[in-house]
Amino acid sequence: MSPRTKEQNDAIREMRMNQIMQAAAEVYLEKGIQLEIRDVAVKAELGYGTVYHYYKNKHMLLEDLLWDALNRTETAVLPALTGDGGSLLQAESFSRLLLQTCIQDPSVFILLKTVADNFHHFPGNRFIKLFADFQERIYLPFVEMIREGIGSQSSEKTATLIFGSLVGCAALNIHHNMHNEMDVEGIVDMIFSGIQSKEK
């Protein structure tokens, strides 16, 4: 049997890391910050040594999980960030995409919940850069859509309340086993109809 090529090794490494991060997201939803590498190995159906080869501790694993989730979030909402139709329609589209992605991808939900909690459960200041990137790539463009769409002086407060509502709705879906039954369109319509009526 011939040795694997570099490309084959890279593909195996990427597959393993995705497998580990998916398992880590599932374990985090069950145990929160109390998760251990051993729990992740069991969930991923991998040996403890295999997971430990990639991640020496759970904080390194969670950091990778959150950075990957940030990239996934940006990809998910990109159509709204680059779309046409006016700022308010873009903000509504952004909210739908974000909520749908939260429901389908546990790592994105974990990222948004962690940001909403101000990284409360994570030690030290290791997430300052992640938070700054989240602000620049996700949050502030959304604030700008709200500002332009509603003309509100309190656009940042409004954006924060929308984010909180979306995270809360995703949490209901995830933690109460609603299995994608959530009416994403209806929730976003309700949120935005309330905002527009208050701003008039």
Side-chain angles (χ1 to χ4, degrees):
M1 177 183 264
S2 58
R4 286 195 293 253
T5 65
K6 181 183 182 306
E7 289 76 19
Q8 287 171 322
N9 283 330
D10 288 347
I12 290 168
R13 177 179 172 77
E14 186 175 344
M15 182 186 72
R16 281 278 179 266
M17 290 180 76
N18 286 337
Q19 187 178 359
I20 291 166
M21 283 198 283
Q22 184 176 347
E26 292 175 27
V27 173
Y28 188 89
L29 291 178
E30 295 167 9
K31 297 190 170 192
I33 198 67
Q34 302 303 318
L35 101 163
E36 296 296 338
I37 293 287
R38 193 171 304 281
D39 303 322
V40 175
V42 169
K43 182 70 79 173
E45 298 181 352
L46 294 170
Y48 176 72
T50 301
V51 178
Y52 191 74
H53 170 76
Y54 291 100
Y55 295 103
K56 300 303 180 205
N57 62 57
K58 67 181 181 182
H59 298 296
M60 289 173 65
L61 172 53
L62 289 170
E63 192 168 352
D64 255 18
L65 176 77
L66 293 175
W67 275 106
D68 184 62
L70 176 59
N71 294 329
R72 289 170 184 262
T73 304
E74 186 175 42
T75 299
V77 299
L78 194 60
L81 293 173
T82 57
D84 296 323
S87 298
L88 195 56
L89 288 174
Q90 283 179 273
E92 289 185 49
S93 173
F94 178 103
S95 299
R96 281 188 204 92
L97 292 167
L98 192 64
L99 180 55
Q100 191 65 52
T101 306
C102 265
I103 291 167
Q104 294 171 345
D105 186 339
S107 66
V108 171
F109 169 73
I110 292 165
L111 171 68
L112 296 181
K113 180 79 168 68
T114 303
V115 169
D117 291 343
N118 202 22
F119 299 95
H120 172 71
H121 297 294
F122 292 85
N125 296 320
R126 66 192 304 152
F127 292 100
I128 290 173
K129 170 97 171 78
L130 176 66
F131 182 71
D133 274 32
F134 178 85
Q135 293 285 100
E136 181 184 334
R137 292 161 58 184
I138 308 296
Y139 180 71
L140 292 177
F142 183 65
V143 171
E144 191 55 34
M145 289 177 202
I146 298 294
R147 180 178 292 117
E148 289 179 7
I150 301 177
S152 171
Q153 296 300 310
S154 59
S155 53
E156 193 162 337
K157 180 179 176 184
T158 301
T160 299
L161 290 171
I162 294 171
F163 263 92
S165 299
L166 297 175
V167 171
C169 288
L172 284 173
N173 186 75
I174 289 166
H175 295 303
H176 294 277
N177 299 316
M178 295 171 73
H179 303 294
N180 298 332
E181 294 171 13
M182 189 156 282
D183 178 11
V184 171
E185 292 283 333
I187 289 166
V188 172
D189 287 349
M190 189 187 327
I191 290 170
F192 277 83
S193 64
I195 289 167
Q196 291 173 72
S197 65
K198 293 283 187 203
E199 293 292 337
K200 285 177 181 175

